[in-house]
PDB file of all heavy atoms in Angstrom:
ATOM      1  N   GLU F 199      11.682  -2.760 -30.172  1.00 75.00           N
ATOM      2  CA  GLU F 199      11.069  -3.402 -31.350  1.00 75.00           C
ATOM      3  C   GLU F 199       9.600  -3.645 -31.118  1.00 75.00           C
ATOM      4  O   GLU F 199       9.089  -3.875 -30.096  1.00 75.00           O
ATOM      5  CB  GLU F 199      11.702  -4.818 -31.457  1.00 75.00           C
ATOM      6  CG  GLU F 199      11.280  -5.540 -32.745  1.00 75.00           C
ATOM      7  CD  GLU F 199      11.927  -6.884 -32.970  1.00 75.00           C
ATOM      8  OE1 GLU F 199      12.814  -7.220 -32.145  1.00 75.00           O
ATOM      9  OE2 GLU F 199      11.527  -7.570 -33.861  1.00 75.00           O
ATOM     10  N   GLY F 200       8.870  -3.294 -32.243  1.00 67.00           N
ATOM     11  CA  GLY F 200       7.362  -3.487 -32.220  1.00 67.00           C
ATOM     12  C   GLY F 200       6.663  -2.226 -31.735  1.00 67.00           C
ATOM     13  O   GLY F 200       5.439  -2.367 -31.551  1.00 67.00           O
ATOM     14  N   THR F 201       7.300  -1.178 -31.424  1.00 70.00           N
ATOM     15  CA  THR F 201       6.685   0.011 -31.050  1.00 70.00           C
ATOM     16  C   THR F 201       7.333   1.237 -31.645  1.00 70.00           C
ATOM     17  O   THR F 201       8.580   1.325 -31.783  1.00 70.00           O
ATOM     18  CB  THR F 201       6.657   0.145 -29.377  1.00 70.00           C
ATOM     19  OG1 THR F 201       6.092   1.368 -29.014  1.00 70.00           O
ATOM     20  CG2 THR F 201       8.052   0.092 -28.893  1.00 70.00           C
ATOM     21  N   ALA F 202       6.462   2.277 -31.920  1.00 72.00           N
ATOM     22  CA  ALA F 202       6.999   3.471 -32.493  1.00 72.00           C
ATOM     23  C   ALA F 202       7.201   4.475 -31.316  1.00 72.00           C
ATOM     24  O   ALA F 202       7.524   5.658 -31.668  1.00 72.00           O
ATOM     25  CB  ALA F 202       6.008   4.002 -33.492  1.00 72.00           C
ATOM     26  N   HIS F 203       6.918   4.141 -30.034  1.00 82.00           N
ATOM     27  CA  HIS F 203       7.003   5.056 -29.016  1.00 82.00           C
ATOM     28  C   HIS F 203       8.349   4.995 -28.350  1.00 82.00           C
ATOM     29  O   HIS F 203       8.828   4.000 -28.192  1.00 82.00           O
ATOM     30  CB  HIS F 203       5.835   4.851 -28.022  1.00 82.00           C
ATOM     31  CG  HIS F 203       4.553   5.012 -28.610  1.00 82.00           C
ATOM     32  ND1 HIS F 203       3.897   6.276 -28.636  1.00 82.00           N
ATOM     33  CD2 HIS F 203       3.575   4.098 -29.121  1.00 82.00           C
ATOM     34  CE1 HIS F 203       2.728   6.103 -29.215  1.00 82.00           C
ATOM     35  NE2 HIS F 203       2.519   4.829 -29.410  1.00 82.00           N
ATOM     36  N   HIS F 204       8.924   6.069 -27.953  1.00 88.00           N
ATOM     37  CA  HIS F 204      10.245   6.215 -27.516  1.00 88.00           C
ATOM     38  C   HIS F 204      10.205   6.370 -25.901  1.00 88.00           C
ATOM     39  O   HIS F 204       9.299   6.981 -25.381  1.00 88.00           O
ATOM     40  CB  HIS F 204      11.057   7.270 -28.116  1.00 88.00           C
ATOM     41  CG  HIS F 204      10.407   8.598 -27.970  1.00 88.00           C
ATOM     42  ND1 HIS F 204       9.367   9.033 -28.758  1.00 88.00           N
ATOM     43  CD2 HIS F 204      10.640   9.677 -27.070  1.00 88.00           C
ATOM     44  CE1 HIS F 204       9.002  10.231 -28.450  1.00 88.00           C
ATOM     45  NE2 HIS F 204       9.791  10.601 -27.341  1.00 88.00           N
ATOM     46  N   PRO F 205      11.281   6.038 -25.220  1.00 92.00           N
ATOM     47  CA  PRO F 205      11.396   6.358 -23.727  1.00 92.00           C
ATOM     48  C   PRO F 205      11.547   7.801 -23.518  1.00 92.00           C
ATOM     49  O   PRO F 205      12.271   8.499 -24.104  1.00 92.00           O
ATOM     50  CB  PRO F 205      12.677   5.568 -23.327  1.00 92.00           C
ATOM     51  CG  PRO F 205      12.974   4.534 -24.417  1.00 92.00           C
ATOM     52  CD  PRO F 205      12.474   5.140 -25.676  1.00 92.00           C
ATOM     53  N   ILE F 206      10.746   8.316 -22.515  1.00 93.00           N
ATOM     54  CA  ILE F 206      10.744   9.683 -22.168  1.00 93.00           C
ATOM     55  C   ILE F 206      11.221   9.935 -20.764  1.00 93.00           C
ATOM     56  O   ILE F 206      11.598  11.152 -20.399  1.00 93.00           O
ATOM     57  CB  ILE F 206       9.366  10.326 -22.381  1.00 93.00           C
ATOM     58  CG1 ILE F 206       8.395   9.702 -21.532  1.00 93.00           C
ATOM     59  CG2 ILE F 206       9.058  10.413 -23.829  1.00 93.00           C
ATOM     60  CD1 ILE F 206       6.928  10.399 -21.557  1.00 93.00           C
ATOM     61  N   SER F 207      11.281   8.898 -19.906  1.00 94.00           N
ATOM     62  CA  SER F 207      11.796   9.034 -18.565  1.00 94.00           C
ATOM     63  C   SER F 207      12.297   7.763 -18.006  1.00 94.00           C
ATOM     64  O   SER F 207      11.843   6.656 -18.351  1.00 94.00           O
ATOM     65  CB  SER F 207      10.541   9.466 -17.613  1.00 94.00           C
ATOM     66  OG  SER F 207      11.007   9.675 -16.297  1.00 94.00           O
ATOM     67  N   PHE F 208      13.409   7.865 -17.217  1.00 96.00           N
ATOM     68  CA  PHE F 208      14.118   6.701 -16.671  1.00 96.00           C
ATOM     69  C   PHE F 208      14.265   6.825 -15.160  1.00 96.00           C
ATOM     70  O   PHE F 208      14.215   7.907 -14.589  1.00 96.00           O
ATOM     71  CB  PHE F 208      15.520   6.598 -17.270  1.00 96.00           C
ATOM     72  CG  PHE F 208      15.526   6.246 -18.809  1.00 96.00           C
ATOM     73  CD1 PHE F 208      15.439   7.363 -19.635  1.00 96.00           C
ATOM     74  CD2 PHE F 208      15.614   5.035 -19.303  1.00 96.00           C
ATOM     75  CE1 PHE F 208      15.457   7.179 -21.014  1.00 96.00           C
ATOM     76  CE2 PHE F 208      15.668   4.798 -20.597  1.00 96.00           C
ATOM     77  CZ  PHE F 208      15.592   5.905 -21.510  1.00 96.00           C
ATOM     78  N   SER F 209      14.359   5.634 -14.512  1.00 95.00           N
ATOM     79  CA  SER F 209      14.633   5.665 -13.045  1.00 95.00           C
ATOM     80  C   SER F 209      15.383   4.328 -12.816  1.00 95.00           C
ATOM     81  O   SER F 209      15.059   3.268 -13.271  1.00 95.00           O
ATOM     82  CB  SER F 209      13.356   5.652 -12.241  1.00 95.00           C
ATOM     83  OG  SER F 209      13.668   5.625 -10.882  1.00 95.00           O
ATOM     84  N   ALA F 210      16.484   4.419 -12.100  1.00 95.00           N
ATOM     85  CA  ALA F 210      17.355   3.200 -11.802  1.00 95.00           C
ATOM     86  C   ALA F 210      17.437   2.970 -10.315  1.00 95.00           C
ATOM     87  O   ALA F 210      17.416   3.960  -9.484  1.00 95.00           O
ATOM     88  CB  ALA F 210      18.791   3.405 -12.394  1.00 95.00           C
ATOM     89  N   SER F 211      17.510   1.734  -9.938  1.00 93.00           N
ATOM     90  CA  SER F 211      17.598   1.380  -8.459  1.00 93.00           C
ATOM     91  C   SER F 211      18.311   0.036  -8.467  1.00 93.00           C
ATOM     92  O   SER F 211      18.361  -0.675  -9.406  1.00 93.00           O
ATOM     93  CB  SER F 211      16.238   1.355  -7.760  1.00 93.00           C
ATOM     94  OG  SER F 211      15.450   0.388  -8.453  1.00 93.00           O
ATOM     95  N   VAL F 212      18.828  -0.263  -7.263  1.00 90.00           N
ATOM     96  CA  VAL F 212      19.371  -1.628  -6.987  1.00 90.00           C
ATOM     97  C   VAL F 212      18.306  -2.564  -6.442  1.00 90.00           C
ATOM     98  O   VAL F 212      17.611  -2.171  -5.549  1.00 90.00           O
ATOM     99  CB  VAL F 212      20.564  -1.534  -6.044  1.00 90.00           C
ATOM    100  CG1 VAL F 212      21.138  -2.920  -5.685  1.00 90.00           C
ATOM    101  CG2 VAL F 212      21.747  -0.616  -6.552  1.00 90.00           C
ATOM    102  N   GLN F 213      18.211  -3.721  -7.056  1.00 84.00           N
ATOM    103  CA  GLN F 213      17.320  -4.662  -6.717  1.00 84.00           C
ATOM    104  C   GLN F 213      17.949  -6.033  -6.557  1.00 84.00           C
ATOM    105  O   GLN F 213      18.323  -6.657  -7.552  1.00 84.00           O
ATOM    106  CB  GLN F 213      16.158  -4.824  -7.723  1.00 84.00           C
ATOM    107  CG  GLN F 213      14.956  -5.650  -7.374  1.00 84.00           C
ATOM    108  CD  GLN F 213      13.931  -5.647  -8.429  1.00 84.00           C
ATOM    109  OE1 GLN F 213      13.642  -6.571  -9.142  1.00 84.00           O
ATOM    110  NE2 GLN F 213      13.156  -4.502  -8.514  1.00 84.00           N
ATOM    111  N   ASP F 214      18.063  -6.499  -5.351  1.00 78.00           N
ATOM    112  CA  ASP F 214      18.795  -7.696  -5.045  1.00 78.00           C
ATOM    113  C   ASP F 214      20.242  -7.629  -5.609  1.00 78.00           C
ATOM    114  O   ASP F 214      20.993  -6.773  -5.269  1.00 78.00           O
ATOM    115  CB  ASP F 214      18.040  -8.952  -5.612  1.00 78.00           C
ATOM    116  CG  ASP F 214      16.631  -9.107  -4.933  1.00 78.00           C
ATOM    117  OD1 ASP F 214      16.591  -8.789  -3.734  1.00 78.00           O
ATOM    118  OD2 ASP F 214      15.745  -9.620  -5.633  1.00 78.00           O
ATOM    119  N   ASN F 215      20.628  -8.538  -6.470  1.00 79.00           N
ATOM    120  CA  ASN F 215      21.945  -8.522  -7.090  1.00 79.00           C
ATOM    121  C   ASN F 215      21.940  -7.912  -8.473  1.00 79.00           C
ATOM    122  O   ASN F 215      22.977  -8.092  -9.235  1.00 79.00           O
ATOM    123  CB  ASN F 215      22.529  -9.924  -7.188  1.00 79.00           C
ATOM    124  CG  ASN F 215      22.728 -10.516  -5.829  1.00 79.00           C
ATOM    125  OD1 ASN F 215      23.200  -9.913  -4.902  1.00 79.00           O
ATOM    126  ND2 ASN F 215      22.485 -11.836  -5.632  1.00 79.00           N
ATOM    127  N   SER F 216      20.920  -7.222  -8.792  1.00 88.00           N
ATOM    128  CA  SER F 216      20.892  -6.625 -10.188  1.00 88.00           C
ATOM    129  C   SER F 216      20.492  -5.054 -10.005  1.00 88.00           C
ATOM    130  O   SER F 216      20.187  -4.599  -8.985  1.00 88.00           O
ATOM    131  CB  SER F 216      19.658  -7.268 -11.010  1.00 88.00           C
ATOM    132  OG  SER F 216      19.882  -8.637 -11.085  1.00 88.00           O
ATOM    133  N   ILE F 217      20.747  -4.343 -11.160  1.00 92.00           N
ATOM    134  CA  ILE F 217      20.312  -2.977 -11.286  1.00 92.00           C
ATOM    135  C   ILE F 217      19.125  -2.955 -12.063  1.00 92.00           C
ATOM    136  O   ILE F 217      19.001  -3.454 -13.143  1.00 92.00           O
ATOM    137  CB  ILE F 217      21.460  -2.160 -11.920  1.00 92.00           C
ATOM    138  CG1 ILE F 217      22.629  -1.996 -10.989  1.00 92.00           C
ATOM    139  CG2 ILE F 217      20.922  -0.727 -12.159  1.00 92.00           C
ATOM    140  CD1 ILE F 217      23.766  -1.266 -11.576  1.00 92.00           C
ATOM    141  N   SER F 218      17.988  -2.396 -11.451  1.00 93.00           N
ATOM    142  CA  SER F 218      16.698  -2.326 -12.175  1.00 93.00           C
ATOM    143  C   SER F 218      16.610  -0.993 -12.813  1.00 93.00           C
ATOM    144  O   SER F 218      16.703   0.081 -12.222  1.00 93.00           O
ATOM    145  CB  SER F 218      15.558  -2.598 -11.063  1.00 93.00           C
ATOM    146  OG  SER F 218      14.321  -2.279 -11.738  1.00 93.00           O
TER     147      SER F 218
END
Side-chain angles (χ1 to χ4, degrees):
E199 185 178 354
T201 177
H203 298 276
H204 59 280
I206 60 175
S207 180
F208 295 83
S209 180
S211 60
V212 175
Q213 188 176 108
D214 298 327
N215 294 323
S216 305
I217 293 178
S218 171

